[in-house]
Amino acid sequence: MTKSLNSLFTDGSCQKALAQIDAKQAEMVETVIAWSGVNSGSGNLTGLTGMEVLVLKAFKPLGAEVVFHQLPPFERVDENGTIIKQKSGRTIRLFKRPDANRRVLLTGHTDTVFAPEHSFQTTTWLDDNTLNGPGVADMKGGILVMLHALLAFEATPLAQSVGWEVILSPDEETGSVGSAPILADRAKSADIGLTYEPALADGTLVGERKGSGNYTLIVRGKAAHAGREFHAGRNAVVKMSALVGELAALTGGRPELTVNPAVVQGGVAPNVVPDIATCRFNVRLKEAEHAQWFEAELQRIIGVANEEEGYEVSLHGGINRPPKVLSDANIKLMDAIRACGVELGLDINYVATGGCCEGNNLAAAGLPNVDTLGVRGGMIHSADEFVLVDSFSERAKLSALILMAFAAGHLDSVIEAKA
Ligand SMILES: [Zn+2]
């Protein structure tokens, strides 16, 4: 593989394209600082629109076709057990040469976990190479890596043989519930997938990922005065407390399956028997078939709970990301990317994680993908989020080389393994 990649460099256009990325290093850092200053928490539609304008302007030189998909409302359960529908943003699709023989899907997200009222809104230099700021790694920085890889790739003649498509979602951080059907659909039209979540700070990429689901359990009882009519009441908080224990006890019911009851709410005052309680919880699972066992256990628990007179127990939510299990084709793609790294002097390794991303969705749709091709960084989802800025040009060159290798047929074994 390494030996054959040398053929990419014989006419000089590939070296020139990679040098073009080096020349853009300062521009990438300037841009991520500007983008980080635009709050785009998943629920902030104004901020997401602001990011959309900035991203479309930056991607304009690629000359791609652009299509928008308005996502359906996002459902969440409030503390009264009422389902609230929140307006969603829209997914941006940019594509070029959709009829080419070799096709690659590149995905990313414009949203962050930081709401407008969060204190973390600006960038700070921690040292010459470390920039702290919302979304600098996850994944405004990653979008810039993707963009500059594509710009360099388009400057080479090889680009003419590849169709590429970019999907930028506004809802990844809330589980990609709205964009999941789009990701699944577009994954079916591509041979390989590249996603721009951050690599670990030392450059390690992620291989296997667990699956994940978010749920809300709702218990309705009966309100009563805690002194005058205590026995007429049905205490939803007490009932929920027992159910929380049952949910937690499902941890380990299948190998590496974990259940995390996380947000419990209920009751109004100490002298009122509470008639409502809610519990938001998350499940992580290693094997897709464990989902059926888990769902059946939930139904069993709810069924028994509903047998007690005066209570009504219901459930909202589900598994939104299946586990990312590594197919043969996926392993071949990981190996090919490792070989591209060797060309650039990068030692690329992979680790498994319990975390999820769009890579789960793409893998579930049968698309071999590597999903941590963004910047090197860390402490994501916290006010300590950082990017190591020397990784901008480093990772953009890696992706550009992957695209060139793909165009030149060096990844055809991935496509063959997939078929
Ligand atoms: Zn992310």
Side-chain angles (χ1 to χ4, degrees), residues 108-109 111-113 137-140 172-173 195-198 356-358 380-381:
H109 61 88
D111 64 327
T112 70
V113 297
D138 183 15
M139 68 154 54
K140 293 175 182 181
E172 194 277 339
E173 298 294 4
T195 293
Y196 287 83
E197 292 294 338
C356 299
C357 75
E358 291 165 347
I380 59 170
H381 296 194

Side-chain angles (χ1 to χ4, degrees), residues 200 204-209 324 349-353 370-372:
L200 305 189
T204 303
L205 305 184
V206 170
E208 205 175 2
R209 292 179 180 272
K324 180 176 178 181
N349 294 298
Y350 296 91
V351 288
T353 176
V370 169
D371 54 33
T372 32

Side-chain angles (χ1 to χ4, degrees), residues 244 246-252 256-262 281-284 293-294 298:
V244 166
E246 290 193 51
L247 292 175
L250 296 176
T251 291
E256 297 190 49
L257 184 144
T258 58
V259 183
N260 185 43
F281 63 98
N282 176 264
V283 61
R284 300 276 160 156
W293 172 83
F294 181 69
L298 289 180

